[in-house]
Amino acid sequence: MISVYIVDAKEIFRRGIRDAINETSDLDVVGEAATAAVARRELETLDSGVVVMEFDGGDPDIIDLCRLITSRPARTAVLMSLSAPDRNRIDEAFLAGASGHILTTQRAEAITAAIRGAHRTPPRLTSEIVGDLFDRVRSGQPSHRDPLAKLTGREREVMALLADGLDNRRIGDILHLSPKTVKNYVSAILKKLRMSSRTEAAVFAAREAVRTGA
């Protein structure tokens, strides 16, 4: 029996996933929450095999919760749920340790199959996926011996923490900066490197660290 916990702000979507699971004999809903904050408290005592988690961007704490769950010694998989395909959100969730994603518009059979798949397979942030993300980031980038050379020392520090998947609040805590100041640094980094999102910057920074042996 695979235990499943559901995190979604929309009750109708939680009900839809719950109804799909209730039609199976090997899946069991052990709890649900509308926010990451509530789920964080409950998941401290619940042993869930898979957490189905909304990634549509309404909850600012959802990425931190995903990272917390997937970093635990006892493996709990996270399956991201989206109302529509969003490559940036999918990339961000994979970087935080998610094992896969579903769309809330999918049929019940596809959703339950994805839950089983997330439970039996490791997170899919493989070298192949990182390479694919990196290739998309580097496309359109001017050739440069050191792409990070144009960044200031502080911007490099922010870039390194982006590679760890941290949000502006956590980066600010570590560097003793306000979230607004961190946001300004991130904007400057994206502009200098000609990138469109912090996810691109995070993947780029992580790959550069590996490539240069940093």
Side-chain angles (χ1 to χ4, degrees):
M1 184 69 70
I2 301 172
S3 298
V4 182
Y5 191 94
I6 305 168
V7 187
D8 197 305
K10 296 174 284 296
E11 198 279 333
I12 188 171
F13 287 159
R14 297 200 307 273
R15 185 193 310 148
I17 295 173
R18 187 169 64 246
D19 289 347
I21 290 174
N22 286 340
E23 294 297 318
T24 70
S25 59
D26 61 329
L27 305 178
D28 179 42
V29 176
V30 295
E32 59 183 74
T35 67
V38 172
R40 182 190 294 262
R41 292 194 297 269
E42 294 192 348
L43 287 170
E44 289 180 354
T45 58
L46 290 175
D47 182 19
S48 295
V50 178
V51 178
V52 181
M53 188 182 300
E54 175 195 9
F55 270 84
D56 278 328
D59 191 333
D61 298 322
I62 206 74
I63 291 294
D64 280 346
L65 178 60
C66 179
R67 191 179 299 111
L68 173 67
I69 293 170
T70 57
S71 66
R72 291 173 175 171
R75 183 179 180 275
T76 299
V78 170
L79 185 66
M80 72 186 96
S81 170
L82 295 164
S83 58
D86 183 330
R87 190 56 192 252
N88 284 337
R89 293 298 287 175
I90 291 173
D91 291 349
E92 189 175 16
F94 277 134
L95 285 169
S99 295
H101 78 280
I102 58 172
L103 298 179
T104 54
T105 54
Q106 287 180 291
R107 296 174 61 87
E109 294 84 352
I111 292 174
T112 53
I115 292 172
R116 295 185 187 98
H119 182 258
R120 65 174 175 262
T121 59
R124 297 176 184 173
L125 189 58
T126 62
S127 59
E128 180 181 352
I129 289 176
V130 172
D132 173 65
L133 297 177
F134 184 67
D135 288 342
R136 291 194 288 111
V137 170
R138 288 298 292 269
S139 62
Q141 294 291 322
S143 60
H144 197 294
R145 180 168 297 177
D146 181 4
L148 304 182
K150 62 187 73 176
L151 302 183
T152 66
R154 180 61 90 181
E155 287 168 349
R156 281 173 173 263
E157 291 177 340
V158 172
M159 190 82 166
L161 294 173
L162 282 177
D164 290 334
L166 302 183
D167 60 18
N168 291 351
R169 182 180 60 191
R170 289 286 297 119
I171 293 174
D173 289 343
I174 293 171
L175 298 180
H176 305 292
L177 301 171
S178 70
K180 183 176 181 181
T181 299
V182 175
K183 181 179 179 180
N184 291 337
Y185 275 120
V186 173
S187 296
I189 290 168
L190 297 181
K191 183 176 181 180
K192 288 182 178 181
L193 298 182
R194 300 182 184 180
M195 296 178 180
S196 60
S197 73
R198 63 187 296 122
T199 302
E200 291 182 340
V203 173
F204 181 85
R207 184 61 176 258
E208 281 294 300
V210 171
R211 190 171 62 82
T212 59

